[in-house]
Amino acid sequence: DDDDDVAALRGTPPQVTAAPPGGGGSSPLLDAAAPAAEGEEEEEEEDADDDDDEIEASARDDEDAARRATRRRNARFLDGMITRKVVKQTVMTSVYGVTFVGARDQIKRRLEESIVALLDAPESDERRAEIARLEALGIITDRAAREVDEPALFHAAVYVAQLTLDVLSELFSSARLIMAWLGDCARIVALDGQPVSWITPLGLPVVQPYRNASKYAIKTVAQNVLLVDTSEQLPVATRKQRTAFPPNFIHSLDSTHMLLTAIDMSRRGYTFTAVHDSYWTHADDVDVMNRVLREKFLELYSRPILEDLEASFRLRYPHLDFPPIPDRGELDITQVLDAPYFFS
């Protein structure tokens, strides 16, 4: 004990002369060093984590910089290239549920056509300047061979497609919600094992035929034959039923509008014929047809079309739970009567 007191006065650690009961004791010096070592390991791990975070942050910065550079190049390339023709098909098919991939491919084809038209255009200062601009950007890689930078064209189409769909969603939010509602209803019906069906305002029953077809390959000495079974006993194709219903339902309304116009024109004694949404009559009678088709459009869409569809679903599938109809927008449909470019 005296030795320990002296050691304590001198600032030196006391000596351990015996292990605690149970054996296997440890030195206080080792016990004190262990936490210090663990602390150093934790600091090293934290340093390593910090290094990893810095690497990830640097990688993200590089990716962001690359994306910004691609967007800038796209913007320079597309300056003056976005015409009505480039986005028309995407805008028109948006109400039929066009996907992002579909929109991208549509716009890419239109951009390719625009470049070909530029190369085929008659010589002019404007043409030479535009070709030189696209060559400087690396879009046109070989003027004589009509070769373009396909990856650059692809990225430009992605850029335009995303912007176009974003703007459509913003401008036509109510239409998008209704399309989503139609798809949701179709999915609910298909998951119940039933094909989606409905009755048009003219009383025409429509049934979607999409099923998971069974295919059988038969190998013979002469040839291989693929047999496809599309019978009504096969299970319905849920995804196809869902994605096809919004455009098919709209097409059925388009055909209803056409037939309503045809019936009214016939009653008035005028010649009328049509292919889908292309209406024809004699030149002297175009003004009459323009008035009739607008009146019939207003008559058709003044009906509770979605409410009737929902009621038919609930009547035929009382055990299923359908979502409520989305709120309507604020479009005054009577304006079509005086809209000069409503149908042209």
Side-chain angles (χ1 to χ4, degrees):
D1 291 341
D2 293 339
D3 292 339
D4 290 343
D5 293 338
V6 173
L9 291 172
R10 291 178 177 175
T12 57
Q15 299 297 317
V16 179
T17 56
S26 61
S27 166
L29 288 176
L30 296 178
D31 290 342
E38 291 176 0
E40 292 175 358
E41 292 178 357
E42 290 177 358
E43 290 180 1
E44 291 177 357
E45 291 177 358
E46 290 177 359
D47 291 341
D49 291 339
D50 291 341
D51 291 341
D52 292 340
D53 291 341
E54 290 178 2
I55 293 173
E56 292 178 2
S58 177
R60 285 194 299 269
D61 291 342
D62 291 342
E63 291 175 0
D64 291 341
R67 281 194 291 267
R68 286 193 297 271
T70 300
R71 286 196 295 268
R72 284 194 296 270
R73 186 189 186 196
N74 289 335
R76 289 196 296 269
F77 160 41
L78 296 166
D79 184 20
M81 297 284 292
I82 304 302
T83 62
R84 179 176 181 270
K85 183 178 180 180
V86 170
V87 297
K88 177 184 175 182
Q89 186 180 15
T90 300
V91 173
M92 296 289 287
T93 56
S94 66
V95 295
Y96 298 127
V98 67
T99 63
F100 170 76
V101 172
R104 180 200 67 198
D105 292 345
Q106 291 170 351
I107 290 172
K108 183 174 181 288
R109 286 193 295 271
R110 300 293 87 78
L111 291 174
E112 289 172 341
E113 292 169 0
S114 298
I115 293 176
V116 171
L118 174 66
L119 294 173
D120 291 340
E123 282 292 334
S124 67
D125 292 340
E126 183 180 351
R127 172 184 176 272
R128 284 190 290 271
E130 182 64 7
I131 292 176
R133 184 181 76 86
L134 296 180
E135 287 178 332
L137 290 172
I139 305 299
I140 297 177
T141 56
D142 189 330
R143 185 189 310 187
R146 298 188 177 194
E147 293 181 355
V148 298
D149 185 344
E150 285 293 333
L153 205 61
F154 176 85
H155 288 302
V158 169
Y159 178 72
V160 178
Q162 188 63 65
L163 289 177
T164 303
L165 294 178
D166 288 346
V167 170
L168 288 172
S169 297
E170 180 180 345
L171 293 177
F172 307 114
S173 57
S174 295
R176 290 281 180 176
L177 291 174
I178 290 174
M179 287 172 54
W181 178 79
L182 292 172
D184 291 341
C185 290
R187 179 177 177 274
I188 291 170
V189 173
L191 287 175
D192 193 50
Q194 301 294 326
V196 181
S197 60
W198 67 98
I199 298 175
T200 72
L202 280 179
L204 175 69
V206 184
V207 181
Q208 292 193 148
Y210 313 115
R211 295 179 179 272
N212 292 320
S214 296
K215 298 180 181 180
Y216 305 93
I218 300 177
K219 296 182 179 180
T220 68
V221 175
Q223 62 183 344
N224 295 335
V225 179
L226 183 65
L227 300 181
V228 181
D229 181 7
T230 58
S231 67
E232 294 183 358
Q233 284 69 41
L234 292 170
V236 297
T238 302
R239 187 172 183 275
K240 182 64 176 177
Q241 290 282 340
R242 177 182 63 80
T243 58
F245 179 52
N248 284 343
F249 183 70
I250 301 253
H251 281 307
S252 75
L253 296 178
D254 288 343
S255 65
T256 298
H257 176 226
M258 180 192 71
L259 289 172
L260 289 173
T261 304
I263 292 170
D264 197 284
M265 289 287 287
S266 177
R267 286 174 179 167
R268 295 172 185 242
Y270 293 101
T271 300
F272 177 84
T273 187
V275 176
H276 186 49
D277 59 355
S278 179
Y279 294 5
W280 309 333
T281 190
H282 295 298
D284 287 347
D285 304 328
V286 168
D287 289 341
V288 175
M289 184 185 71
N290 276 337
R291 189 69 187 175
V292 170
L293 68 87
R294 284 163 171 76
E295 291 174 352
K296 292 303 160 183
F297 185 90
L298 179 61
E299 175 188 323
L300 172 60
Y301 290 100
S302 294
R303 303 181 188 186
I305 294 175
L306 296 182
E307 287 77 7
D308 290 345
L309 178 65
E310 181 190 35
S312 70
F313 281 156
R314 295 189 185 280
L315 180 63
R316 284 181 289 154
Y317 311 108
H319 57 290
L320 299 179
D321 185 20
F322 293 96
I325 299 173
D327 294 334
R328 301 292 203 281
E330 298 178 355
L331 174 67
D332 180 7
I333 196 173
T334 61
Q335 292 183 2
V336 304
L337 295 175
D338 301 314
Y341 301 108
F342 161 70
F343 207 99
S344 60

